[in-house]
């Protein structure tokens, strides 16, 4: 028993902070414990002892990342940003959003090369800023992935309808293909849509992909590779075929004059457009949630993150140039702007290809976001912050099946009843908060763990890129709507209540003596 107690006392996964010191008040001790960090040694032990299958190679990771990035942002939001905020200068908006996201991508790459554990920025924050901040970001990421999957599934439903209309002349009833609620930004209330009851396609696609994820991560990766290939083919055909019909007159004026409000065109409209299209770059961070299932995460994750980010950025700029070049930007305020552009030049075959690519492409985005959320809960449960059932791994499939099913159920219900604008805004702001903490984490770890092995380092030292990226994240959060900020804070308040009444009492960091006693009696 003595040896076991000694081993447990030195088990750095429980805490890298000191026990309560002589003369230290209870409140001071408890507050200090909230900011205890996990050691790099314990994180490595978690990776080595993980029950999750390590089956993903670098190609799998790149395809999963591209599958997660190319989706609603380019198929839907780029056109809306051009029509309502940026005009043809949406190209600048996409570049500004890309620069902001690239700083986070660099930071994610460095941390992924150091911390090969499922949990994304939750785990990274736990290793740098402590348990309380880690809980906040973990809870925030849960919101990001759940509403993200729901939001993209609603967009998927729209293109699904568009495809059947274009290809076969079939018109689905809006009663069962649209959400029954919309959000009135003027009155800040939800209103019902007469005749709309349930978004069946959005609901069904989430349920189908949830089942796929329960069956196995490798099977999901193979599916992601298949759909990404088709999606890239459709986008490239759009760039090449529609690019031949670009009319330079459609680029005039490149930056339309401001219409009297901050977000309506002009320079400020371009900035506001960057916040909207930032959604287009969300997805590469999902790779860090499946790092424990990678064969060589410290080498492969940085390659996959930066490789996929570079490929996607080039594609986005090309799509925006062609999109605003073949049709006037004022006509692009539609849920299927690429299809609008193709129809304007009379290429019916290309319209069908784009519809197919959008349907399949958005499917891969839903898959990746649904893949990320359970692994956040899995990591939090392993730390004692959530019930043990959240860390259960299926004995046959090797997947966290319980939380995968729960997350899929919640996302499917949200997709069936809520509008895409509410869901998309929540995901964007939540992701910006996560990116902010990841950027800060790189700077902190350069000083708290200077000798830790890093197979990739953010260039320019510990301050320039991470802090610049953090500042840009805050800037974009500040441009979000008040309603979105309120929803985010409401969700975080619920999370803090869960943490106070459950997580604190069962955390392995805050209750290491109980963990030791339990270990000695087992």
């Amino acid at each position: 028993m003595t040896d076991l107690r000694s081993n447990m006392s030195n088990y750095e996964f429980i805490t890298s902070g000191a026990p309560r010191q002589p003369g230290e008040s209870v409140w001071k001790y408890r507050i200090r414990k909230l900011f205890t960090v996990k050691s790099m040694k314990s994180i490595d032990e978690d990776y080595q002892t993980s029950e999750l299958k390590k089956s993903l190679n670098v190609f799998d990771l790149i395809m999963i990342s591209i599958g997660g990035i190319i989706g609603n942002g380019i198929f839907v939001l780029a056109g809306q940003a051009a029509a309502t905020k940026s005009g043809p200068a949406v190209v600048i908006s996409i570049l500004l959003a890309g620069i902001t996201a690239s700083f986070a991508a660099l930071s994610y790459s460095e941390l992924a090369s150091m911390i090969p554990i499922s949990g994304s920025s939750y785990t990274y924050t736990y290793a740098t800023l402590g348990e309380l901040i880690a809980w906040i970001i973990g809870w925030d990421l849960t919101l990001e992935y759940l509403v993200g999957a729901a939001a993209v599934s609603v967009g998927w439903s729209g293109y699904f309808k568009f495809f059947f209309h274009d290809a076969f002349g079939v018109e689905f009833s809006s009663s069962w293909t649209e959400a029954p609620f919309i959000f009135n930004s003027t009155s800040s209330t939800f209103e019902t849509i007469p005749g709309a009851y349930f978004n069946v396609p959005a609901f069904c696609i989430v349920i189908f992909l949830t089942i796929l994820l329960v069956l196995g991560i490798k099977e999901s990766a193979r599916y992601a590779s298949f759909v990404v290939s088709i999606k890239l083919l459709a986008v490239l055909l759009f760039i090449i075929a529609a690019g031949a019909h670009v009319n330079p007159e459609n680029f005039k004026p490149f930056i339309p004059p401001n219409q009297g409000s901050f977000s309506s065109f002009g320079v400020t409209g371009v900035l506001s457009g960057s916040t909207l299209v930032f959604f287009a770059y969300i997805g590469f961070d999902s790779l860090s949630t499946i790092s424990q299932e990678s064969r060589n995460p410290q080498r492969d994750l940085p390659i996959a993150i930066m490789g996929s980010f570079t490929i996607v950025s080039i594609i986005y700029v090309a799509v925006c140039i062609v999109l605003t070049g073949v049709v006037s930007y004022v006509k692009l305020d539609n849920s299927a702007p690429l299809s609008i552009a193709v129809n304007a030049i009379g290429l019916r075959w290309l319209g069908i290809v784009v519809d197919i690519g959008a349907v399949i492409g958005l499917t891969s985005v839903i898959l990746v976001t649904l893949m990320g959320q359970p692994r956040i809960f899995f990591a939090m449960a392993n730390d004692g912050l959530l019930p043990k059932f959240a860390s259960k791994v299926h004995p046959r499939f090797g997947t966290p099946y319980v939380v995968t099913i729960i997350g899929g159920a919640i996302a499917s219900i949200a997709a069936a009843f809520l509008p895409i604008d509410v869901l998309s805004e929540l995901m964007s702001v939540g992701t910006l908060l996560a990116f902010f903490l990841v950027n800060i984490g790189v700077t902190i770890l350069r000083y708290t763990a200077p000798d830790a092995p890093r197979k990739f380092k953010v260039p320019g030292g510990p301050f320039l890129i991470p802090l610049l990226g953090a500042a840009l994240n805050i800037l974009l959060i500040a441009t979000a709507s008040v309603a979105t900020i309120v929803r985010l804070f409401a969700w975080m308040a619920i999370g803090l209540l869960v943490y106070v009444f459950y997580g604190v009492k069962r955390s392995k960091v805050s209750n290491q003596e109980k963990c030791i006693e339990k270990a000695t009696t087992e």
Side-chain angles (χ1 to χ4, degrees), residues 63-72 74-75 224-237 315 353-354 356-366 368:
M63 297 303 280
I64 289 174
S65 182
I66 293 177
I69 298 173
I70 298 181
N72 256 21
I74 198 64
F75 282 114
S225 297
F226 167 73
V227 297
V228 167
S229 298
I230 296 178
K231 174 166 56 176
L232 288 177
L233 177 62
V235 172
L236 291 175
L237 283 175
I315 292 174
V353 170
V354 168
I356 294 174
V359 169
I360 294 178
L362 294 178
T363 300
S364 67
V365 178
I366 303 169
V368 172

Side-chain angles (χ1 to χ4, degrees), residues 29-74:
Y29 169 68
R30 289 178 177 175
I31 292 175
R32 177 169 62 81
K33 297 301 289 181
L34 294 178
F35 297 95
T36 298
V37 300
K38 293 172 68 173
S39 69
M40 298 303 299
K41 178 181 178 182
S42 67
I43 289 172
D44 182 64
E45 290 176 356
D46 282 351
Y47 173 72
Q48 298 300 331
T49 59
S50 172
E51 297 179 15
L52 296 174
K53 288 185 178 180
K54 299 175 176 61
S55 59
L56 302 178
N57 57 36
V58 67
F59 178 78
D60 293 330
L61 294 172
I62 289 176
M63 297 303 280
I64 289 174
S65 182
I66 293 177
I69 298 173
I70 298 181
N72 256 21
I74 198 64

Side-chain angles (χ1 to χ4, degrees), residues 401-417:
Y401 68 105
V402 176
V403 283
T404 298
I405 294 172
I406 293 174
I410 295 173
S412 63
I413 293 173
F417 290 102

Side-chain angles (χ1 to χ4, degrees), residues 250-275:
N250 287 325
F251 295 129
K252 300 176 183 179
F254 187 67
I255 301 179
N258 186 267
Q259 302 297 309
S261 65
F262 179 87
S263 62
S264 183
F265 303 111
V267 175
T268 55
V270 173
L271 293 175
S272 182
S274 295
T275 304

Side-chain angles (χ1 to χ4, degrees), residues 121-136:
S121 48
Y122 160 75
T123 304
Y124 302 160
T125 305
Y126 213 153
T128 56
L129 301 177
E131 181 178 282
L132 176 61
I133 306 301
W135 169 270
I136 291 173

Side-chain angles (χ1 to χ4, degrees), residues 269-292:
V270 173
L271 293 175
S272 182
S274 295
T275 304
L276 181 60
V277 298
F278 187 80
F279 193 108
Y281 286 98
I282 296 173
F284 68 84
D285 56 316
S286 299
L287 281 184
S288 55
T289 69
I290 56 174
S291 57
Q292 278 177 275

